[in-house]
Amino acid sequence: MSDSLPVLAEEVIACRRCPRLVEWRQEAAAKPPRRFRDEAYWARPLPGFGDPDARIVIVGLAPAAHGGNRTGRIFTGDRSGDWLFSALHRAGLANQPTSVSRDDGLRLIDAYVTAVNRCPPPQNRPTPEERDNCLPYLVRELGLLKKGRILVALGSYAWAGTLLALGASGAEVPRPRPRFGHGAEAPIGERTLLGCFHPSQQNTFTGRLTEPMMDAVLARARKLAAG
């Protein structure tokens, strides 16, 4: 069978390469916060989500233990996802501003959302080995997203992971490697990598990341994609 996004998704969902992360995702499902106690958790790795013909690919760190790990869709069911999909809707890249479950009707337009790691790590800190175990999935995903020439990295971890994936795919990554920053821009072969602060509560509650700041990055992504 030839490689495709559905084939890749099946492989991601079945993955058990990282024992620590398997244990953590299952423990989160077995001991949920009170507000989620009556919900059945997904508790498996998460494939990417969005438009397979997308020109804009958004890369995050990893699913949240009680967000994507609960709902079964990347960036869905937590505050970071609320912020991201609201911004995508304002940018005309999503048909609605909310993302609460896999069957909520959300559809992305010219955008695809994925992550460097596909399981929630403790303290949001995957080990280098866990990152490297997952990286081949991102390499294949970027290869299958044929039109995905504009990559938006949410945070420094996603920026570094995306550079590694591009290098592994054969792209010539500049040396020294481009440094992450909000609004940073780096041409990598036929692609352009943009940096955006991660929409974590730590960033959004403190004002380090504001809606206009994220809107500006997505506007830049759309302009580059159109050009």
Side-chain angles (χ1 to χ4, degrees), residues 20-21 24-25 27-28 61-66 119-127 130 157 198 200 202:
R20 185 181 79 117
L21 301 190
W24 180 253
R25 76 191 190 213
E27 181 179 339
L61 191 164
H66 302 290
C119 293
Q123 290 81 51
N124 285 326
R125 293 181 179 176
T127 67
E130 289 163 351
Y157 185 92
H198 191 284
S200 64
Q202 181 179 0

Side-chain angles (χ1 to χ4, degrees), residues 70-90:
R70 172 174 60 89
T71 64
R73 190 168 69 197
I74 197 82
F75 271 106
T76 295
D78 61 22
R79 293 287 182 87
S80 294
D82 293 344
W83 187 280
L84 173 62
F85 289 112
S86 179
L88 290 175
H89 182 255
R90 291 194 301 274

Side-chain angles (χ1 to χ4, degrees), residues 21-43:
L21 301 190
V22 171
E23 181 179 359
W24 180 253
R25 76 191 190 213
Q26 293 175 343
E27 181 179 339
K31 300 176 181 178
R34 181 173 297 178
R35 66 189 184 279
F36 300 136
R37 198 162 290 170
D38 295 329
E39 296 190 30
Y41 272 54
W42 171 261

